[in-house]
Amino acid sequence: MNIAELLARYADDGVVLWAQDGQLRFRAPQGRLTDTHRAELRTHKEAILRHLEGGEPALRADPAGRHEPFPLTDIQAAYLIGRTDAYAYGGVGCHAYVELEYPDLDADRVTAVWRELVRRHDMLRAVVHQDGYQQVLPDVPALPVGSDDLTALPAATAEARLERTRARLSAREAPTDQWPLFAVHVTRTAGRAVLHLAFDMLVVDHASLRVLLAEFRRSYGGTALPEAPRISFRDCVLARRALAGTEGHVRDRAYWTERLDTLPPAPELPLAEGWEAGVSDPADGGTTPAPGDGVAFRRLEVLLSAADRDRLAERAARRGLTVSTALLAAYAETVGAWSRTSRFTLNVPTVDRPALHEDVDRVIGDFTSLELLAVDLDTRVSFAERTRTVAEQLLEDLAHSLFTGSEVLAELSRRAGAPVLMPVVFTSALGSGATSESVPPEVTYAVTRTPQVWLDCQVMRRGDALSLSWDIREGALAHRVADAMFEAYTALVRSLSAEGEAGEAAWDAPARIELPAAQAARRNAVNATEGPLPDALLHEPVLARARTTPDAVAVRTPELALTYRQLVARASGLARALTASGLRPGEPVAIWMDKGWEQVVAVFGT
């Protein structure tokens, strides 16, 4: 009996098991725990207790069940829903497109290597069903690998053909229940060869892609690959799901539940016109695609030299910090410069590959887990201190990661009665194990797209350089805002890695974010409130408008619209209620608002 699979099966039925004081406890909907369940639990009670209490390895290979269907992870389920238009900023699958450039490639040899990788890794033979399950197919046809030999064409013509292949594969959107969920293509021109890779991120994560690229490079070069991983992604998923109901999961759920009321919303960035949610900036100028025009992402990227990267790492280490958290803090400072609020939450994907087996870093699959990081920029402090605060909060959150960010979002959405999005993302590949595998220097172009994401800042090593890239959803933010933010972000990072005293001083002073002149002028103009004050009371123009145009819309929200007539009627009803309670005009009164108690002054008049 595979205990991890048993617990995962029970969890799917709504039966949660945990160990307490040496006894097996359970929680289940009325009538869900049948006599058959009880008999099975009595039979395997001791093994289940050892598993829940950490007395036996939580991850065991199950080769006999490798082709049986198994559940999606939280993030896979979110990606699957994100392909639909059920939520705002959806309508797109999570997809990665990568190009690698070589002097030349043998298309037949490339084909042979990728077919070997398909045989080697289960998730390269996987499909995902719409009912929420995935399955590794026992047999698949030979992987088709496209090839274009453009060596005889003029350079301009060949490049145009290559661009068409890029456009086609970077927008690839294949049915998830049909194999393969990725595509490989080779383009050869007179001057170079390009390997095009397009992956649905339902079956791989960024760390898996780096593993595959390293194995392709090794195998294509003629070096034999080591033995295939002895565990599968299915084994890992079932082991992870079996943690539901353990003492650790209960503890982490309590940690996040206590923080739900104080967790700030996503950054309020200037959005393009046409989106209902967020802050729009109609004065920003230019044109952006409307929400219904289709989904497109583009990438901005800067490469820091090895010398700059080393200075950044040395200065961070001397202050007891890491490069990854320094880049995260720089991103937070940049986002804060454009956000309407200084307290907000960033979405920080992490790689959830617990060290339960020595082969876990070589397994291909989507091990992504979300962490929601609260950022508070209210206090002006040095960049080093900001980084330290961000790092401490992130470490505390990661210590409670058994209750995932996806679960936190689900709970926030349940409380709000509507989907809650965290669309500003920071992804770091500067970790350990599989997450630290450097992107090969042959990578010359890449872009990812993710549902319900506006900005995805990605930091990783590319050869000897440090890659800083942003994947931006077109048409979400106001015109040129993302570009200006990226320029400010990279300028801040360059100041932290600069040579000499200036670079050192940047760590010990508050982060300096320069807004473009046009945006700074617009912000100053909006905030310029100097001028003569009117003699009338604030409510008098509203009442005057209600007399002249009572049926004009006075208040509009996504949920309702109130005319001036309706607004005055509601205000009059409130005034009568307050008067009946004995409240005198001008006396402070506490009224319950959506976000807590706020002090207001009752003003009466006609």
Side-chain angles (χ1 to χ4, degrees), residues 18 65 69 72 81 85 100 104 147 222 282 427 486 548 599:
W18 72 93
L72 300 178
I81 294 173
D85 292 322
L100 296 90
D104 198 9
S147 178
T427 306
F486 181 73
T548 58
Q599 290 295 316

Side-chain angles (χ1 to χ4, degrees), residues 276-277 556-560:
E276 290 185 355
R556 187 187 302 277
T557 75
E559 291 78 23
L560 58 82

Side-chain angles (χ1 to χ4, degrees), residues 9-75:
R9 174 160 52 85
Y10 274 52
D12 288 340
D13 291 337
V15 180
V16 178
L17 303 170
W18 72 93
Q20 183 177 333
D21 300 326
Q23 298 297 315
L24 188 61
R25 309 293 186 185
F26 75 90
R27 181 174 65 253
Q30 183 71 28
R32 190 67 57 85
L33 195 67
T34 65
D35 290 340
T36 301
H37 285 135
R38 295 177 188 275
E40 186 175 45
L41 291 176
R42 283 194 296 270
T43 302
H44 301 289
K45 177 181 175 180
E46 296 305 319
I48 295 171
L49 282 172
R50 287 196 304 272
H51 178 94
L52 293 175
E53 293 172 342
E56 72 171 19
L59 199 161
R60 288 184 170 181
D62 181 22
R66 65 189 299 188
H67 301 305
E68 295 296 322
F70 61 104
L72 300 178
T73 65
D74 290 345
I75 198 69

Side-chain angles (χ1 to χ4, degrees), residues 262-593:
T262 59
L263 198 68
E268 296 188 45
L269 300 175
L271 297 187
E273 291 185 84
W275 295 107
E276 290 185 355
V279 183
S280 63
D281 189 358
D284 202 28
T287 58
T288 52
D293 287 348
V295 180
F297 282 74
R298 63 186 172 95
R299 171 166 289 196
L300 300 174
E301 184 176 40
V302 162
L303 295 178
L304 285 189
S305 68
D308 286 341
R309 183 202 66 210
D310 290 344
R311 275 193 299 273
L312 194 67
E314 187 275 329
R315 287 170 181 161
R318 193 154 24 91
R319 293 166 172 84
L321 305 169
T322 67
V323 173
S324 184
T325 52
L327 295 172
L328 170 56
Y331 185 58
E333 290 279 10
T334 304
V335 170
W338 271 265
S339 174
R340 187 168 68 176
T341 58
S342 58
R343 293 185 68 252
F344 50 81
T345 295
L346 295 178
N347 191 335
V348 183
T350 61
V351 178
D352 185 16
R353 292 179 184 246
L356 300 176
H357 193 283
E358 59 184 337
D359 288 347
V360 71
D361 282 345
R362 299 192 295 123
V363 175
I364 301 303
D366 185 8
F367 291 87
T368 305
S369 180
L370 300 184
E371 290 294 333
L372 301 183
L373 178 66
V375 174
D376 187 345
L377 304 180
D378 279 345
T379 305
R380 185 173 171 83
V381 296
S382 71
F383 180 79
E385 184 60 30
R386 179 77 72 211
T387 302
R388 189 167 292 106
T389 301
V390 168
E392 289 172 355
Q393 183 63 62
L394 182 59
L395 285 174
E396 177 69 11
D397 293 345
L398 290 174
H400 299 86
S401 61
L402 292 182
F403 193 71
T404 67
S406 299
E407 292 175 294
V408 176
L409 276 175
E411 183 61 23
L412 288 171
S413 299
R414 186 191 67 79
R415 292 188 176 199
V420 173
L421 304 183
M422 295 294 175
V424 181
V425 180
F426 178 85
T427 306
S428 173
L430 304 176
S432 59
T435 65
S436 64
E437 184 77 46
S438 176
V439 175
E442 293 87 0
V443 172
T444 56
Y445 179 85
V447 66
T448 61
R449 63 174 191 258
T450 309
Q452 300 168 9
V453 167
W454 304 338
L455 294 176
D456 185 357
C457 174
Q458 301 178 27
V459 298
M460 65 190 70
R461 288 183 57 191
R462 181 185 293 181
D464 291 332
L466 179 62
S467 168
L468 309 175
S469 63
W470 285 20
D471 287 329
I472 301 161
R473 181 168 179 142
E474 295 279 42
L477 298 185
H479 181 66
R480 297 295 301 173
V481 164
D483 300 79
M485 293 175 66
F486 181 73
E487 290 174 11
Y489 174 67
T490 54
L492 176 56
V493 175
R494 288 189 187 281
S495 72
L496 297 165
S497 62
E499 294 185 69
E501 294 182 1
E504 287 286 351
W507 288 80
D508 300 322
R512 184 177 179 183
I513 306 293
E514 296 288 348
L515 270 66
Q519 292 186 22
R522 188 177 308 115
R523 182 175 297 189
N524 291 335
V526 169
N527 291 327
T529 57
E530 299 86 356
L533 295 176
D535 293 331
L537 297 176
L538 286 176
H539 65 280
E540 291 180 356
V542 177
L543 297 175
R545 184 73 183 274
R547 286 192 291 269
T548 58
T549 55
D551 295 320
V553 174
V555 177
R556 187 187 302 277
T557 75
E559 291 78 23
L560 58 82
L562 291 176
T563 65
Y564 282 94
R565 188 196 310 275
Q566 293 168 322
L567 182 63
V568 169
R570 289 195 176 194
S572 299
L574 176 61
R576 285 193 297 271
L578 293 174
T579 301
S581 69
L583 189 72
R584 294 187 301 275
E587 183 177 346
V589 60
I591 295 180
W592 177 256
M593 310 294 284

Side-chain angles (χ1 to χ4, degrees), residues 147-212:
S147 178
D148 292 325
D149 185 350
L150 311 179
T151 53
L153 296 180
T157 305
E159 286 301 315
R161 288 276 299 275
L162 191 151
E163 288 284 348
R164 285 200 293 272
T165 299
R166 172 186 292 174
R168 174 174 60 85
L169 291 179
S170 63
R172 186 178 187 268
E173 194 86 21
T176 65
D177 58 356
Q178 297 179 22
W179 184 85
L181 295 185
F182 65 101
V184 181
H185 193 95
V186 177
T187 298
R188 297 175 61 240
T189 71
R192 59 178 177 146
V194 174
L195 175 63
H196 310 260
L197 301 174
F199 276 86
D200 195 311
M201 301 297 277
L202 280 167
V203 294
V204 299
D205 55 16
H206 289 285
S208 297
L209 278 177
R210 291 191 292 277
V211 170
L212 289 173

